[in-house]
Each structure stands twice: as C-alpha cells, then as structure tokens.
Amino acid sequence: MRGLARVPGGTMGAARRRRGASSLVLLCTMAILTAPGLATGMAYAAPAAPVAPAATAAPLPEPGGKSLEQVRKEIEELYRQAGTATDAYNLAEAETKAQSDKIVEIANLVVAGKERITALKNRAGAAARAQYRTGGMPPGAQLALSDDPNHYLDGAGRLREGEKATSGMLSELDRTQADLQRYAEEASERWATLEANRVKSEDSKKQIEEKIKAAEELESKLEAEEKARLIQLEQEAQYKAQTAWLSTGAMKDVKGTATDAGKRAVQFATAQIGKPYKWGAVGPASFDCSGLTSQAWLAAGRGIPRTSQEQLRLLPKVALKDMRPGDLIIYFDDATHVGMYVGDGAMVHAPRPGRNITLAGAGSMPIKAVVRPDA
C-alpha cells in the first residue's frame, strides 16, 4: 500500500493471513446460509455459536502514514456520509415527482375549469339571444301583459324556474372562476416547492459524488493484497458487532414467522443477492439500500416509502422480540441505512458503493428500530 502501513510477516505471514481470511469468510458464510429456515423465511431458529475469527497480525502504522484499519474506518465514514446524502437525494427526488404529478393534476383542473366557463358563457349568450328574438321584452313583462289566465299561471312557473337557473348559472360561473384563481395560486406554490426540491437534489448529488470519489481515491491507493485485507477487516468488524449483539440475548425470544406477503418480499430481496449497490437505484440491475427494500415490498404487493428515513417515520414500529422475516431493520441514529430481516439473525441489504447485495448479520450495524410494512 503506497503511503499506508504494511503488515509484517513476509510472504509466509501473508499466506497464513490469506488462509485465515478464507477460513473466516467460509465459517461466517456457512453459519448464516446453513441456519435452518433462512431460505424459506420460516420461524427463527437459534443460530449456531459464533466461530472465533482466525488470528491475524494487526497492521502497524508507518511514520506519518495510516494503518489499514484507520483507512477502513475513514472509507466507512465517507460512505456513511454518502449514504446520508443519498437518503436526502432520494427524498428530494420523490418529493419532486409528487409535486410534478400534482402540477399536472392542477393543469388538468384548469383546462376543465376553462371549458366549464366557456360552456356557462355560451348558455348565457343563448339566453340573451332568445330575449332578443322576443323583441327584447323581459319575460316578466311579457307575462304581465298576457290576458290568458292559464298562460299566465304556466308562464309564472317557467319564469321562476328560469330565474333559478340563471341565478345558479351565475353562481356556478363565480365558483368556477374562484377555483381557477385558487388553482393558479396552488400551482405557483407547487412550482416553488418543485424548484426547492430540485436544488436540494442537486446539492445532495454533489455531496454523494464528492464522498464516493474521496473513498474511491483512498481505496485506489491500496495494493491488491491490501484491498483483500480491507475486505477481511470489514468482515471482522461486522462479525465482532454481530457476536456482541447476539451475546446480549437479543434473538432469544424472536420466533416470528413471515406472512405470505413477507415471504414474497424476502424472496424478491434475496433473489437480488450479488447485484451491485448504486445510489439512487431501484433496480432491476442495481439498488441502493432503500431501493432494495421498497422494491421488494412493491413486488409483494405493498407500496412503502422510498427512503429509509421515511420508512422509519411512516411505517409501524415493532419490538425487536416481535421481529419476523420481511420486517425492515433501520440502522444508525440518522436512519440512513436499512436491511430486510430474513430470519435466523440475518438480514439482506445493499451495503454501499463498491459492494454487492448480500446477506449479513442483523446486528452487524447499530440498530435504531424495526418497522413492519404489512402491519
């Protein structure tokens, strides 16, 4: 690694570390994938006791340089910041679409309103032309001059109906004109919100690109062996967090079984394993974390909010002990990451740029809440 700490031990030490890394990955993968009930999303079965990771030599910092573990944490933090910006971007994009749809709806209402006003004016014009054809004499005067009692009584009824219709037409004309004015004001407000969301979206996009670029540049300085070791360090950190979480007894009472919709959501999510993470993506070739969960539940017949923060805000929360496959686990204090619980202490998620959708321990990151799309 150029400018970063080397792990002592020479070629033989490196070979031993690679064998240790391979053993760790194999053991962790087997522990997750062979847990009973995972593939079908059935009731939770207690996971096997965690296997201790193979011993590895800790990288030593060079003078003025950084250890590989420091680099890992720095890269992780950059991607965390990119994740925060991604959630803001996704929310701004969703709000922009909602405002755009509303503006189209308002435009259709305006067109309908103008057509209604035209029809009302045509009716008023027809009434005026009819009066002109009778010599310009108002209907009331014509009725008063009639010497036929039957004609008078019949005409009086028609006159009242005509006056009522005219009054109703004028009232409807006033209401329609007021509606058009209200539509114009609402459209103006929607355009302002649309522009504000566009600016937020552009700002978030810039932040995402900057953070990802910085992380990629940092990772590009690593040699091939160090990149492999970086992945191992990530796995060890996740393993350590998962082991600590399980040791608290968090999964002791979790025995919930998936609903039919939950099973469909889990099947969709797990079918995406191996596809790359891409911020802002909702498939089918790639996903970000909330893109995966929202599309999985859409495939199960339930529309849910697009972002992890909105999923936390709008979906019903459930206690950890009541968690069942298909539920969503919201991570970190700012709710900027989400995975789907699949059973047996595991979840499926889209981790970050440069990584693929994968299974991981449900406790491998700090849990903020569990929410249920099909409550």
Side-chain angles (χ1 to χ4, degrees):
M1 177 178 64
R2 296 183 291 275
L4 298 175
R6 286 285 185 184
V7 179
T11 304
M12 292 182 64
R16 285 195 298 271
R17 287 192 297 276
R18 285 195 293 273
R19 288 195 299 272
S22 299
S23 299
L24 172 66
V25 173
L26 178 61
L27 288 170
C28 289
T29 304
M30 291 296 291
I32 292 176
L33 296 182
T34 60
L38 177 58
T40 58
M42 299 304 287
Y44 165 76
V51 181
T56 56
L60 300 175
E62 294 178 350
K66 299 176 181 177
S67 71
L68 196 55
E69 175 63 12
Q70 289 173 318
V71 172
R72 181 193 71 78
K73 289 181 177 179
E74 190 171 339
I75 290 174
E76 184 179 274
E77 179 56 27
L78 286 168
Y79 280 125
R80 280 271 298 110
Q81 293 173 12
T84 301
T86 296
D87 222 45
Y89 172 85
N90 288 337
L91 181 59
E93 286 290 287
E95 289 178 345
T96 296
K97 183 181 184 306
Q99 297 302 330
S100 297
D101 291 345
K102 190 63 180 178
I103 288 171
V104 170
E105 181 184 331
I106 291 172
N108 290 333
L109 290 172
V110 168
V111 170
K114 287 183 176 180
E115 290 175 349
R116 184 62 180 159
I117 285 177
T118 299
L120 291 169
K121 286 182 176 179
N122 288 339
R123 282 171 54 190
R129 288 191 296 273
Q131 184 173 327
Y132 176 77
R133 286 195 296 271
T134 62
M137 185 178 293
Q142 295 178 39
L143 184 61
L145 295 174
S146 173
D147 55 3
D148 183 344
N150 292 328
H151 181 262
Y152 181 89
L153 293 173
D154 184 52
R158 287 199 303 271
L159 179 61
R160 284 193 297 272
E161 290 176 359
E163 289 174 345
K164 184 177 180 181
T166 300
S167 175
M169 181 178 67
L170 293 175
S171 296
E172 186 173 354
L173 183 61
D174 288 342
R175 284 196 305 272
T176 305
Q177 289 174 329
D179 285 343
L180 289 177
Q181 178 64 30
R182 179 167 54 83
Y183 296 153
E185 293 171 357
E186 185 176 357
S188 178
E189 293 173 0
R190 297 283 180 176
W191 275 114
T193 304
L194 187 70
E195 178 61 16
N197 285 329
R198 186 193 66 76
V199 171
K200 283 195 297 185
S201 176
E202 288 299 317
D203 288 346
S204 296
K205 181 178 179 181
K206 183 179 179 181
Q207 290 180 42
I208 294 165
E209 291 172 342
E210 288 176 351
K211 299 300 182 184
I212 291 177
K213 182 180 178 181
E216 289 175 343
E217 287 179 351
L218 196 56
E219 197 163 357
S220 71
K221 296 176 182 178
L222 303 176
E223 302 292 350
E225 182 180 348
E226 290 163 332
K227 288 180 180 179
R229 171 65 176 144
L230 182 67
I231 293 174
Q232 181 186 354
L233 288 174
E234 291 176 1
Q235 293 168 340
E236 288 174 351
Q238 293 169 10
Y239 174 89
K240 183 178 180 180
Q242 174 76 352
T243 303
W245 181 67
L246 290 174
S247 70
T248 65
M251 293 298 300
K252 180 170 62 72
D253 297 322
V254 179
K255 297 181 175 64
T257 57
T259 61
D260 288 342
K263 290 177 183 177
R264 292 195 296 271
V266 169
Q267 288 168 356
F268 179 93
T270 53
Q272 312 313 311
I273 289 175
K275 292 183 179 180
Y277 175 106
K278 182 179 179 181
W279 66 266
V282 291
S286 56
F287 299 82
D288 62 20
C289 65
S290 57
L292 176 64
T293 55
S294 60
Q295 290 301 302
W297 272 101
L298 187 61
R302 300 290 182 98
I304 65 172
R306 167 67 178 88
T307 70
S308 56
Q309 292 176 340
E310 289 296 279
Q311 288 168 2
L312 172 65
R313 187 173 72 88
L314 297 175
L315 297 179
K317 298 177 180 62
V318 297
L320 184 64
K321 66 180 180 62
D322 297 323
M323 184 168 61
R324 67 191 185 198
D327 287 346
L328 306 183
I329 306 176
I330 309 296
Y331 293 99
F332 303 111
D333 286 340
D334 55 1
T336 50
H337 193 71
V338 59
M340 178 179 291
Y341 182 62
V342 296
D344 300 299
M347 60 92 173
V348 60
H349 71 144
R352 66 165 177 83
R355 298 290 182 260
N356 296 333
I357 295 170
T358 186
L359 287 173
S364 57
M365 292 174 285
I367 296 175
K368 182 176 181 64
V370 177
V371 296
R372 178 162 293 164
D374 61 340

